[in-house]
Amino acid sequence: MPFGFFAARGTCIIAFAFVLAMASPARPREYSSAESSSSSPSYLFSASFDYAAGKEVIEDHSSADPQSPAVQRQFVIVRIDFIGNRRVRKDTLTARIFSREGDVYSEEALRRDFQALWNTQFFEDVKLRVEDAPNRPDGKIIIFEVKERPQIRRIRYDGIHSVSESDILDRFKERKVGLSVESQFDPTKIKRAEVVLKDLLGEHGRQFAKVTPQYERIASSNAVILVFKVEEGPKVKVGRIKFTGNHAFSDRKLIRAMRHDRPYAIPLYFTYIPVLTKTYDREKLSEDLEVGVRGLYRDNGYFKVSVGEPILENIDTRSARLGVPLVTGKSHGKAVNITIHIEEGERFRMGTLKIVSSDPDKALSLKVDALKTAFPLKQGDIFSTEKVRKALETYGKIYGEYGFIDFTPEPDTEVDDANKIINLTLRFDEQKQYFVRRIDFSGNTTTRDKVIRRELLIDEGQLFNKRLWELSVLRLNQLDYFNKIEADKDAEIKRNNKEGTVDINLKLKEKGKQSIGLQGGVSGLAGSFIGLTYQTNNFLGLGETLTFSAQFGDLTRSFLFGFTEPYLFDRPISSGFTIFSSRYKFDQARQAALLSGQSVSINPQFVQNYNQDSTGFTLFASYPIRKLSFTRVAVQYGLTRTNITAFNDASKLLFTQVQFRSIAGPSALNGIVSSAITPSITYNTVNNPINPTGGKSYFYSLSFSGLGGNVKSISNVFDWKYYHPVNKRRNVLGFHATGAYITGYGGGEPPPYSRFYLGGESDIRGFDIRSITPVTFIPVATTQQFTYICNTCLNGFGGPSPRTVSVPVLGYTITFPGGDTQGYGNVEYRIPIIGNTFQTVLFFDGGTNGILRKGALRLDPTGFTNLTTSFPGAVSSGALAADRRLGISPGTNFRLRGSTGIEFVVQLPIIQAPFRVYYAYNIHRIHSQLLAPPDFIEATEICDPSLGDNCVKSGVGRLPATLPPDVWRFQVRPTIEQLLRNPGSLNYFEPARTFRFTVSRTF
């Protein structure tokens, strides 16, 4: 039993010692400054984020006097636990800390681990506590208690009106804020978003905006709704802008140089009228001062100009809402008055120019003298930084043509204050010269590579000519097979610096090769119409074009079938044919009534009214001049048969009495056969055939009719177009001019329908279709009947009876023959509102039309002989011209016309036709009465010596000799005199303004 006794004794001693230890005060622990508590765990470190205050709260309960390293090595980390992590895996957290199981326990190391875990921004609450290992006396268990930050399920912007949510998201993306839905709640990112949002509102004039981020907890989830409470405040406008110290330029000119802060204004010839003020933006003001004001001075020689910091004065304003005070009242706002001090300095001129290589050991590849000729400033010229900037761009293009695509120029100025000159040194870093190794295409699923490659002006193995590459892209855009190609975005250029070569991969996106277009609307030329067009823009991927169109309307009917082969026999010969049939009803009075909405005041017998039926075909071919690349020479042959059906005297006389071929009389209306060959030359760099934004085109043709047929004429046509992008390439300024001349040869003259008429949506918009033309008078033989009362002729009741007498009269019919020469021009300022779908156009049209060869407009010999036979005295009296010429009404030949206005264009992709409404005001117009020459009656019919007439040659006239004297003197003779004193007239009243809907474009 001794062993049992000692065992019991030992157990009691140990229990007694344990009780004493529990009753005695605990010794302070090495890793904590707080007392242990059995009711709640003791944390060594803790950190949390106070969302209300927006601050971090970090507590450190570690020992202030740690033990020596010798003592610390007694403890070992046996386990590391993480409690509370849901989305973040334990492996991820373990990788973020430095301590590992088995490491020596160290509070300093734990402090580092705690800080690393807190800096991950994963958690809103992190606590670290240490427990003794239950199975190992020297072991420690490290426990991280974490609470993950909530997820942002939704972001809301309350009280914001000046900008859209998409604008905010775009700005967040641009500034790399990193705040998005389903991201973790990060106070740092939220604070950055608050700053970016304030800046964005400030750009829209809300400098006094207040942004307060808040959040709403979503129940039963660790997620929040982030809310930005916004108080925009008043919109700040640009107030008065004042300059001090400026002498070279007026305040008005300096303000006009400030693109962002100048007021919206109506420009006039010498000045402008301000309409609306712009929104104030401090960054844009700085840009205006640097680029606008300082740039204006430096472009005019004031190289050392100093533009001071603007003095800003915030003021309260009270202005009318929407500019209508009586209707909407007034509102309070804020504005910023801006005062800018300028020290102009001296004006400098251009001194010497040096062009050197940036590498002193390497000479320039191009001749320096040739490079100097491209510099726009000569010695002694006013120095201009703008011209220097453009010169550097020019040098970049010059070197780009020789394969130096990484060429970099660096200007170095030397200011000579004594002589007021600036010596300029241009250092050229040519870098490597590149050749083309390979050209590939991607995205052309249908179009074959050879169709694309034949439009390129550079080949593999050649120098990479940057200009030729840009022209090649332009040629591809002109094909209209692909979406718009941009040379700097769609071409991937890979450089091989070692070999000095480039590989080009052109990324393309094809358009639909087949299109079916439905057209319809109202046009001054075609009336109301509907049409169907089918076209294969890129047939079988080989570039051929197959076209069929049909159009029906109350004035027109046309059919056309055509085929074009752009590369015949794999050579750049564009060839094809068209077959057509058309009927055109030219009813001038009806067209004017249709477009004006009311009946015309012109006598229907004086205006043109006829049908023109034409059938025929054309054959054409064109070939490019390779060196000029955009220049093509072409030839076209056309055969057309035309029949005319006239419905009034003016049209009948125009076609039967006016000489235009050997056949006269009614036969002249049928079987008008024109066989014409037309050589032409074209230069075209317009970048898009439908909605151009840049480029120009020239066209000239010379047409010969008379290779068969019965029409002999020669016509010349010149056409010019130019498109220039403005306002940072957002808007387009377009110019168009056309001149044409037609004449006959070999005794023939052009038929009336081939002569020129202006007016309508295709040339001068404010005037009626084909209404601008000289007015002529065609003589016509008529018979005038006079009724009188015969007192000696008794009727059945014994009273006097009426009698009738006829007198041949040479009268005149007013008609519009068209001109043989015309010229007109158009200027348009196109403003896209919704891309190419909706545009606003400001325009001015002007032109003239007239008869240059007055001798060509004459009566047919047969018709003239008939008239002189009936009226032998007409030539001697001047009623008929001996050379058969027709008279032209004064003021109608080459009368200048002009119109200006605004139009709105809607272009729908499905319809494939531009619908437009325009309003035009006519600047030059005719608003007068046109008088025809007096009628002519032969003296042999009415000459009476008793009334003072000279009847030596003619003798007594037939009527005085045969009628009773009282009847002649008092009834017939006064009526004839009244007839001769009142010639025919035409009320030629062109409209002052026009409002019209049509389906077309002017150019």
Side-chain angles (χ1 to χ4, degrees), residues 758 764 772 823-825 845-849 895-898:
L758 290 179
I764 304 180
I772 300 178
Y824 66 90
D845 304 327
T848 187
N849 185 336
R895 173 70 176 263
L896 183 66
R897 309 299 212 287

Side-chain angles (χ1 to χ4, degrees), residues 482-645:
F482 314 99
N483 290 341
K484 185 178 180 180
I485 307 170
E486 298 185 22
D488 54 344
K489 295 181 180 179
D490 297 320
E492 182 182 357
I493 301 175
K494 296 182 179 179
R495 296 170 173 82
N496 186 332
N497 295 325
K498 183 178 180 180
E499 302 293 335
T501 60
V502 295
D503 292 342
I504 305 173
N505 181 30
L506 186 60
K507 300 176 182 178
L508 306 169
K509 187 176 181 181
E510 291 183 332
K511 292 183 177 180
K513 64 178 183 178
Q514 296 183 358
S515 63
I516 299 177
L518 178 65
Q519 301 174 351
V522 179
S523 168
L525 181 64
S528 59
F529 67 94
I530 186 171
L532 178 67
T533 300
Y534 170 79
Q535 178 173 312
T536 59
N537 192 31
N538 188 8
F539 188 59
L540 298 179
L542 295 173
E544 294 105 339
T545 301
L546 186 68
T547 304
F548 172 78
S549 67
Q551 183 171 295
F552 304 90
D554 55 355
L555 296 180
T556 61
R557 174 190 57 78
S558 65
F559 299 93
L560 182 141
F561 176 78
F563 177 79
T564 302
E565 168 58 62
Y567 267 70
L568 186 64
F569 307 122
D570 285 332
R571 301 190 63 186
I573 303 175
S574 177
S575 59
F577 67 89
T578 60
I579 302 172
F580 62 89
S581 174
S582 65
R583 165 172 286 188
Y584 175 56
K585 298 179 181 180
F586 183 41
D587 188 346
Q588 206 167 26
R590 182 181 178 184
Q591 289 170 335
L594 176 65
L595 296 173
S596 62
Q598 58 186 5
S599 1
V600 295
S601 60
I602 302 176
N603 188 333
Q605 288 301 319
F606 290 159
V607 297
Q608 298 300 324
N609 185 6
Y610 62 87
N611 284 357
Q612 176 182 328
D613 295 285
S614 300
T615 57
F617 68 89
T618 61
L619 302 173
F620 56 87
S622 66
Y623 186 81
I625 302 176
R626 185 66 178 180
K627 291 184 178 180
L628 300 179
S629 73
F630 292 97
T631 303
R632 301 184 73 95
V633 292
V635 62
Q636 174 180 297
Y637 173 77
L639 181 65
T640 306
R641 181 183 180 88
T642 303
N643 295 324
I644 302 296
T645 304

